[in-house]
Amino acid sequence: MKAANAKMIFGEVASPGVARGSAVVCECIAETQIARHVIDESEVAQEIERFDAAVSAAEKKMIEVQQKIGRKNGHDEAAIFEAHIALLHDPSLRETVTALCETSKLNVEAAVSEAIKTLSAAFARLDNPYFLERAADLRDIGNRLQQALSNNDLPAIPDFPDGTVMVTRELLPSVIMQLDEGAVCGVIVEQGGQTAHATILARARGMPMLIRVPNATEAIHTGDQLIVDGLAGRVFINATPQIQREYDRLEADLQAHKSALRELIDLPSVTQDNVPIKLSANISKGADAVTAASVNADGAGLYRTEFLFLAQDDFPSEEEQYKMYHATAERLKPREVAIRVLDIGSDKLLSYFPLAWEANPSLGCRGIRLLLAHPEILNVQLRAILRLSATLPVSILFPMVGGVEELRAAKAAIERAKTALANEGQSFNPEIRIGAMIETPAAVILAGRLAQEVDFLSIGTNDLVQYLLTTDRTSSEVATYYEPLHPAVLSALASVAAVAKEREISVSVCGEMAGNPAYTMLLLGLGFRTLSINPGELLEIKSAVRSINLQAADELAREVLALGTIQEVKECLRKSESRGLS
Ligand code: PEP
Ligand code: MG
């Protein structure tokens, strides 16, 4: 046998873990040859009829797969098919196809191909991760339509042998849903995005996945033996025995670490000096609530409701929202779920709710401002949450609060919704707790006044860092300026913690910073006693909490707050970590 050459290539970790197996390089998007010819005027109507028939056939097929998947993998995965079906019926798709048949006299196969190209290019031009991913969904739909037009079934996902690492240019959600989890142990994708549906699904399945691995389908050949290092973001192709041994050890360590963490599930989240630290979960869909409950999260400190809205092709009704929130809160009861009202605008856009163009959307109409400008959207959501509060412990959290006026206007909307519900004879908890996100510089400065208006505060460091440091959180150009350890950020956090203590109001940190164990000691030292984190990170943070002595944490925070540069802060944390290890 020819000796294989050992090689290493790099990518971005999309779903963490280590996978080892045999490569299967495949093309998930069938580049089928599309027949192209000019049609006669008399054939136009018939071609459009063929399009409508293909839509129905594709929808029927998708429903079949959706039902199969729903039975196997649960509602959340099947829900993505609903989004695809909605896209299939998007009026702009039919309009574009019809126009191409009528005016350019293209046969329907070519018209569909052109329409999908035009629409997905328009999505891609928006240069927004959400729409880039919808462009991939559209191409998936284009494939399905071509299959229906040619009366062929979609190319079946090959029966991968056990221990396969799938290597592909682009991964479609419909493909990952059909993968046999037992056989495929890891995925490598040349393109992809951190918030792409396919990535979300890989993460939910705990399947290690690397994205943005340049030229993976050329560098890797079917049959190559791969190590997918979804921790460091690299792939070893036909690794040497020495590297193999390194990974034997790493995998054993990871396994031991995982088992050790699971032992913490029933242990209390307390510091070495026995101070309880509340660890709640950030969730965005039902499956997250299941994971949160399985690691004993102290409720949900942040339920991002955007996911529900993003997965639809129109605003969900009050009843739909009630059902979704109910299913989620039911899984975590009797622990509280803080339901954040819709936080859209800037980088989170709904395809069915176009917003006016703004030069600086993150400084524009978003979060609570947007809801106050569209009271009908806010009212439906508030009614659903209030009705739920009659039977389950839920609270309402307002995003992107910029001042007392906004908060009072939002509270007035709650009062109006309560009055209307009372008049209709509907039950709700009149004492429902209300919270404000602290994620703008104004909210930091006014934290004391905001605290007088609400029952709890929740610090969204993701946005707070962006606004304090005037650094777009989605930009890779200025990524090095986006630094949670910037002294201005730490000083803002310390001041909110101090205000909350003085006003005796609970405050949590719910941005990504809270889920990083390297920051846990500092956050406790700054005065925080509640952290809200992704459920998958909760045990790691509990482990950190249980190793921390609060007195040492206080000292660390004091030391850090006296420093003036990011480098000094990092150095100080590094030293404290090595003291802890020694
Ligand atoms: C935050 O800004 O830190 C936050 C939790 O909200 P999101 O990430 O949803 O904007
Ligand atoms: Mg935010």
Side-chain angles (χ1 to χ4, degrees), residues 13 15-19 206-210 228-233 251 254 258:
V13 177
S15 176
V18 172
M207 188 182 270
M209 172 166 157
L210 295 188
V228 183
D229 182 343
L231 299 171
E251 274 194 299
L254 280 178
K258 244 184 172 167

Side-chain angles (χ1 to χ4, degrees), residues 302 304 340 343 348 437 439 460-463 473 510-511:
L302 170 66
R304 290 180 167 102
R340 184 174 74 182
D343 181 18
K348 289 187 254 182
M437 295 278 299
E439 48 187 349
T461 49
N462 305 339
D463 276 311
R473 68 191 256 193
C510 69

Side-chain angles (χ1 to χ4, degrees), residues 447-494:
R449 291 182 194 277
L450 298 175
Q452 291 174 322
E453 302 284 330
V454 290
D455 303 296
F456 64 98
L457 302 175
S458 184
I459 307 184
T461 49
N462 305 339
D463 276 311
L464 185 57
V465 171
Q466 133 163 298
Y467 291 119
L468 273 179
L469 306 184
T470 53
T471 302
D472 185 341
R473 68 191 256 193
T474 63
S475 160
S476 45
E477 298 274 301
V478 287
T480 50
Y481 288 92
Y482 187 93
E483 180 50 73
L485 294 179
H486 191 295
V489 174
L490 301 180
S491 164
L493 291 177

